[in-house]
Amino acid sequence: MSDEPKTPLLDDLEEGPWPSFVKDLKDLARTKPEVNQLLGQMERSYEDRVNYWTGTVLNLSGYGGGIIARYSDLKEEFPDIAQFHTIRVIPPSGFVYSTDSLRELCDIAEEYSSGIMQLHGMTGDLLMLGSDNEQTHEAGEALMERGWDIGGSGGALRTLACCVGQARCEMACFDTMGLTKHLTDTFIGELHRPEFPYKFKFKLSGCANDCANSMQRSDMPVIGTWRDEIQVDQEEVRKFVDEHGEQYVVDNVVSRCPTQCISLGEGGIDIDDRNCVKCMHCINVMHTALAPGKDRGATILIGGKRTLKIGDMMSSVLIPFVKLETGEDWKCFTDTVRGIWEYWSENALDHERIGEFIDRVGLGVFLESVGIEPSPQMVRHPRTNSYIKFEEYAAPRAGGEPVKAPNIVDKDEQAESA
Amino acid sequence: MTAAKKQLAPRDNGAPDHMKMLHPAMEKNYGKWKRHDKIRPGVLKYTAESGDAIFVVRAGSPRTLSVNKIRQICDIADRFCEGHVRFTTRNNLELVVTDEKDVDPLINEITSVLGFPIGGTGHSISNMLHTQGWMHCNLPGTDAAGAVKALMDVLHEEFTREDLPHRVKLSTSCCQINCGGQADIAINLQHHHPPKIDHGTVQQCELPKVVGICPAAAIRPMNVDGKSSLEVVEEKCMYCGACHGQCPSMEIRDPDTDSLAIWVGGKSASTRGGPSFMKLAAFGLPNNPPRWPEVADAVRRILDAYRNGAREYERIGEWIERVGWKNFFEETGFEFTKYHIDSYRFARTTFNTSSHVRL
């Protein structure tokens, strides 16, 4: 075709050992000519180092998010991509697909959009790129007709993501895929209709290796853990020591334990489980000899986010341990989440992520408001500054009523009340 | 089109049933896996309590895939994997076979038909996290997919081998929202000016929201030629671009001055010392498509220093923690400047408040 835009800069990216999206898109352009125009616009960005997309809002009937609308600033030159929107689709938990389901998505993407998909977006959606206003609605209907659903955007619950979990990993301490689906389905209204001060993300990882990157990419990480003892197969320990040598085990396992709770003796390995923080390192290295304990559950954290606006925030511990095995366990967790959302939605500023909100009101106030008991596992250490507003001493009590230090438990009184 | 009268499809379907998507061996042994073994880079064996075993082959994918390419993946999965595929958090493709004899033919098919490299497991460089860049974002100052392609071309051998001290995770971000996330090495775009306000179009935005979103309280209302508009207090502005996301008339990008910075030592896992944020290593690298050679060179320097200096099981941040930032800057050859010293919230918590000094 003579009107194909020239793309010498992008063409350079057809070379090299890593698979080339340029080559793939050029191949697609033989049946989808608008893809040539997409490459043409990208080439212009490569030349000018200027972006040529404007973003606005476009919604499917009944939904308040999930479509990322893009209009080309160069539509005179590239009319076929004047409207070139992305549809976010909720993927199966853990990004597992049957080929039938992937082919179905391909057919929809080919019929109603440019035939470009991304597996997956950073939040965890499957993305279909390149539908115009009308096609976006048609694609949405076609997807939902076949049982798929649209992902989240804006001030809403976002599409969830999790690690592979129990589908093929012996480390997973709870059913990450199952709970991801359960949370998605339970909170599907919050996902589709933005009612929050700002976005809210869950990510679920089966253990502290955190393959879902939940710690710094989600408002509420759920990370698998256990509260009994690491399972030790001393026979396998001896095999490992024989194979690698004692020094290797000391250097790479014993001395890398963050709480120094491992010792190596003649009987094999000894672990001080009370002091173990379930970091997974020793299990990762000696994975044939060690395994997570049997009384498994998860630690719930809160407040992680990326840079915008006030700088990166790492999540912090909210609930040190919950069981996540039965329907009742799951309901208990979703009830807690609802209470947290209610308090946050009532009191947060516009565009205030829950971590920013907790920074503003204080974790102590937040815990009390959502009904979670403070515990030392939530902090690195108690406060170091002495400016404290003790409610027990505040007016009008400051007038002379006797007040006890609130955290010193009177043993006699405790025995009496029991 | 006559779609207007058509009845709408059912809403709120929720998540697809993942159990129906699983390879039969993964469905059968769900929750009953016993151990895994590293067969070779890119190939892992998982054994279930039942004695069943699966061989997982991991391949690097460019994330952006045409339907043609996805159908090729499906063809391979139909032939070898009973019609099932999986993608990882870092955009890798995972294919499962139950017979070890099928591993080599499968790998041959992946590399010859798809052109995807095998690797990304163990102590290697895994696939790079990124978002849209110039392909589809409304805010980027640089590209994502192209930058990943250029860098992974340079680093592909580290993807296919497991010979680093520990795993190295990479990400890239095209503006200061930093969608790419924390990584051992991250390449992020940096703006250098306050936003330029288009006083003619800014009224299309919700002005109080634009004022409210500024983390530095640097934006205030102003009347310009009789019309509502905004002004930016330049001394307060830290060029984050939060207002630009809220309102396209607050243009933060500048193709002449936007540059790239490299950050090191980010980690998500709670293993050993716990998660950590990445720290500034180098800045002012040119935004130089299509290959960004200056960035590739700087990343290579960090990797070489890491490979030479780190002990086994030390991630980049843990290695630097042990040897100290003085040695890091000496070994990479990057200059340490006043800009490396934090000046934002909690800056003091990053100062050396001891007499521990490497001399």
Side-chain angles (χ1 to χ4, degrees):
Chain A
M1 279 189 288
S2 58
D3 58 347
E4 270 180 37
K6 294 265 181 296
T7 56
L9 292 171
L10 283 173
D11 294 351
D12 191 64
L13 294 175
E14 290 187 69
E15 305 302 320
W18 194 255
S20 169
F21 70 100
V22 177
K23 206 187 274 181
D24 187 23
L25 294 189
K26 281 193 171 179
D27 177 53
L28 178 65
R30 285 188 284 151
T31 51
K32 288 280 188 181
E34 68 265 36
V35 174
N36 269 327
Q37 301 204 351
L38 173 72
L39 291 169
Q41 177 171 316
M42 277 185 81
E43 178 76 11
R44 188 67 57 80
S45 289
Y46 272 55
E47 284 167 13
D48 305 343
R49 283 170 287 137
V50 172
N51 183 55
Y52 293 107
W53 295 109
T54 296
T56 58
V57 176
L58 178 73
N59 283 326
L60 301 176
S61 176
Y63 285 179
I67 308 299
I68 310 303
R70 293 283 179 263
Y71 295 86
S72 171
D73 299 337
L74 305 174
K75 60 174 186 264
E76 280 76 27
E77 210 170 327
F78 302 116
D80 295 347
I81 57 165
Q83 301 164 359
F84 202 78
H85 311 318
T86 283
I87 303 171
R88 290 182 174 169
V89 182
I90 300 176
S93 300
F95 306 137
V96 290
Y97 295 91
S98 66
T99 50
D100 288 347
S101 68
L102 263 187
R103 287 180 201 278
E104 183 173 86
L105 291 165
C106 285
D107 292 347
I108 295 170
E110 191 168 48
E111 187 169 356
Y112 300 105
S113 72
S114 71
I116 301 172
M117 297 211 279
Q118 290 173 329
L119 298 127
H120 295 84
M122 283 292 287
T123 297
D125 294 280
L126 179 140
L127 307 176
M128 281 185 184
L129 271 67
S131 48
D132 66 18
N133 291 355
E134 197 170 336
Q135 288 172 325
T136 300
H137 288 275
E138 290 167 352
E141 296 306 318
L143 285 163
M144 289 185 277
E145 199 61 62
R146 289 161 180 80
W148 298 92
D149 206 349
I150 308 300
S153 66
L157 173 62
R158 298 302 186 83
T159 302
L160 285 80
C162 67
C163 69
V164 72
Q166 296 180 341
R168 74 134 172 70
C169 183
E170 75 274 22
M171 313 285 194
C173 292
F174 69 98
D175 180 7
T176 57
M177 284 191 183
L179 185 58
T180 295
K181 175 166 168 57
H182 178 74
L183 293 174
T184 305
D185 295 352
T186 305
F187 297 131
I188 199 72
E190 284 83 353
L191 196 149
H192 285 147
R193 288 165 282 278
E195 290 174 354
F196 294 155
Y198 198 25
K199 65 180 83 166
F200 191 96
K201 298 184 181 185
F202 286 104
K203 290 195 196 299
L204 288 71
S205 285
C207 75
N209 284 318
D210 196 7
C211 293
N213 286 359
S214 67
M215 277 303 289
Q216 36 86 13
R217 281 171 61 195
S218 72
D219 300 271
M220 186 169 277
V222 181
I223 298 182
T225 190
W226 62 94
R227 59 181 172 185
D228 57 347
E229 291 158 4
I230 289 182
Q231 299 183 66
V232 184
D233 182 337
Q234 296 290 7
E235 185 59 34
E236 287 287 337
V237 170
R238 275 188 288 277
K239 266 203 254 175
F240 188 91
V241 177
D242 287 347
E243 195 181 325
H244 293 85
E246 207 166 296
Q247 190 61 42
Y248 181 90
V249 181
V250 169
D251 288 347
N252 291 288
V253 182
V254 177
S255 65
R256 291 224 177 276
C257 172
T259 51
Q260 296 164 38
C261 59
I262 304 177
S263 57
L264 194 62
E266 280 184 10
I269 208 163
D270 186 42
I271 300 172
D272 173 9
D273 282 283
R274 188 167 180 237
N275 191 29
C276 167
V277 289
K278 284 73 178 167
C279 90
M280 293 297 295
H281 176 77
C282 61
I283 300 176
N284 288 340
V285 180
M286 301 177 69
H287 52 86
T288 54
L290 307 177
K294 289 179 177 165
D295 187 7
R296 298 178 179 188
T299 300
I300 314 292
L301 299 99
I302 194 158
K305 58 179 278 297
R306 282 296 285 132
T307 313
L308 208 68
K309 309 174 284 294
I310 63 161
D312 298 71
M313 295 176 69
M314 201 72 82
S315 296
S316 73
V317 171
L318 180 70
I319 304 175
F321 184 83
V322 281
K323 292 296 278 184
L324 290 172
E325 276 164 15
T326 63
E328 212 169 297
D329 295 339
W330 287 8
K331 177 158 189 316
C332 189
F333 177 49
T334 52
D335 285 349
T336 306
V337 169
R338 278 210 178 85
I340 288 169
W341 282 346
E342 198 175 317
Y343 177 63
W344 172 52
S345 298
E346 285 279 312
N347 295 286
L349 303 174
D350 182 48
H351 249 261
E352 193 173 40
R353 293 280 286 269
I354 201 157
E356 297 169 304
F357 172 66
I358 291 171
D359 264 21
R360 184 164 60 81
V361 302
L363 181 59
V365 169
F366 178 83
L367 292 173
E368 193 168 59
S369 305
V370 300
I372 295 174
E373 284 294 311
S375 84
Q377 291 114 312
M378 295 173 183
V379 293
R380 284 186 204 279
H381 54 74
R383 67 161 70 215
T384 58
N385 77 71
S386 61
Y387 306 130
I388 314 169
K389 287 183 178 177
F390 289 106
E391 287 160 15
E392 290 82 353
Y393 292 96
R397 284 192 163 190
E401 281 179 59
V403 188
K404 269 190 300 206
N407 71 327
I408 295 176
V409 180
D410 184 326
K411 292 234 168 84
D412 296 338
E413 205 174 88
Q414 204 178 33
E416 222 169 85
S417 65
Chain B
M1 298 294 275
T2 53
K5 290 282 173 223
K6 209 178 145 193
Q7 200 175 346
L8 294 179
R11 259 54 184 162
D12 291 353
N13 289 324
D17 184 355
H18 52 278
M19 295 308 284
K20 289 188 181 143
M21 305 288 183
L22 286 173
H23 187 284
M26 287 163 77
E27 189 193 353
K28 180 188 163 199
N29 296 291
Y30 196 93
K32 297 191 175 69
W33 293 99
K34 195 170 175 340
R35 63 179 276 166
H36 73 275
D37 294 280
K38 295 173 179 173
I39 305 298
R40 59 179 194 261
V43 184
L44 294 163
K45 177 185 180 186
Y46 287 84
T47 309
E49 288 165 8
S50 66
D52 291 354
I54 56 171
F55 297 85
V56 179
V57 176
R58 190 177 290 175
S61 135
R63 184 181 93 124
T64 298
L65 299 164
S66 72
V67 290
N68 304 340
K69 189 64 85 178
I70 296 170
R71 285 173 181 144
Q72 284 178 335
I73 294 172
C74 290
D75 289 342
I76 295 173
D78 284 342
R79 248 183 85 195
F80 291 91
C81 316
E82 303 184 48
H84 295 273
V85 303
R86 174 176 183 260
F87 294 86
T88 70
T89 302
R90 304 193 88 76
N91 309 323
N92 294 311
L93 170 68
E94 275 189 4
L95 292 171
V96 165
V97 292
T98 48
D99 189 341
E100 192 164 7
K101 288 206 292 290
D102 289 333
V103 170
D104 281 330
L106 172 62
I107 287 177
N108 187 40
E109 202 79 357
I110 295 171
T111 50
S112 63
V113 175
L114 301 176
F116 290 1
I118 306 297
T121 51
H123 295 186
S124 69
I125 282 186
S126 193
N127 207 341
M128 199 164 169
L129 287 183
H130 64 288
T131 51
Q132 297 292 15
W134 287 325
M135 189 184 287
H136 208 253
C137 186
N138 58 331
L139 303 171
T142 187
D143 195 30
V148 169
K149 160 71 178 153
L151 203 59
M152 290 309 287
D153 272 345
V154 176
L155 302 175
H156 77 283
E157 284 190 359
E158 275 83 359
F159 179 87
T160 59
R161 298 192 302 228
E162 292 183 351
D163 60 358
L164 289 163
H166 204 345
R167 64 194 72 221
V168 174
K169 299 187 176 187
L170 306 178
S171 77
T172 182
S173 298
C174 318
C175 78
Q176 296 199 212
I177 293 175
N178 289 350
C179 297
Q182 294 291 327
D184 294 276
I185 306 175
I187 295 121
N188 294 352
L189 188 102
Q190 202 88 36
H191 306 301
H192 298 293
H193 299 300
K196 291 191 191 77
I197 305 176
D198 184 339
H199 295 290
T201 59
V202 76
Q203 296 79 19
Q204 293 169 8
C205 306
E206 256 186 273
L207 299 186
K209 281 203 166 193
V210 185
V211 170
I213 204 167
C214 177
I219 304 176
R220 55 195 184 200
M222 189 172 70
N223 193 299
V224 178
D225 297 332
K227 285 209 263 183
S228 297
S229 188
L230 302 169
E231 71 169 332
V232 175
V233 183
E234 301 204 351
E235 301 75 46
K236 283 190 181 178
C237 176
M238 53 189 185
Y239 325 145
C240 71
C243 55
H244 184 226
Q246 185 73 23
C247 176
S249 305
M250 308 289 288
E251 181 56 73
I252 188 74
R253 296 164 297 192
D254 181 344
D256 294 330
T257 59
D258 283 347
S259 66
L260 293 156
I262 299 190
W263 301 74
V264 295
K267 174 171 174 279
S268 283
S270 285
T271 44
R272 299 174 301 284
S276 61
F277 286 134
M278 54 210 190
K279 288 95 181 167
L280 180 64
F283 57 85
L285 299 165
N287 182 15
N288 195 2
R291 288 277 170 188
W292 293 270
E294 298 83 358
V295 171
D297 176 60
V299 170
R300 175 58 71 193
R301 275 210 246 174
I302 295 167
L303 276 176
D304 287 347
Y306 169 64
R307 190 195 291 277
N308 292 334
R311 295 177 183 159
E312 197 173 355
Y313 288 107
E314 275 177 345
R315 293 275 291 269
I316 286 184
E318 294 166 303
W319 157 60
I320 300 172
E321 187 86 0
R322 178 173 60 79
V323 302
W325 286 95
K326 174 178 175 283
N327 287 327
F328 171 81
F329 281 98
E330 274 176 14
E331 270 157 48
T332 53
F334 300 137
E335 190 191 354
F336 184 80
T337 69
K338 66 179 180 183
Y339 300 111
H340 288 89
I341 301 173
D342 202 346
S343 57
Y344 194 40
R345 305 190 322 155
F346 316 124
R348 176 156 282 274
T349 63
T350 69
F351 300 165
N352 182 0
T353 52
S354 74
S355 65
H356 300 177
V357 178
R358 290 175 178 84
L359 296 169

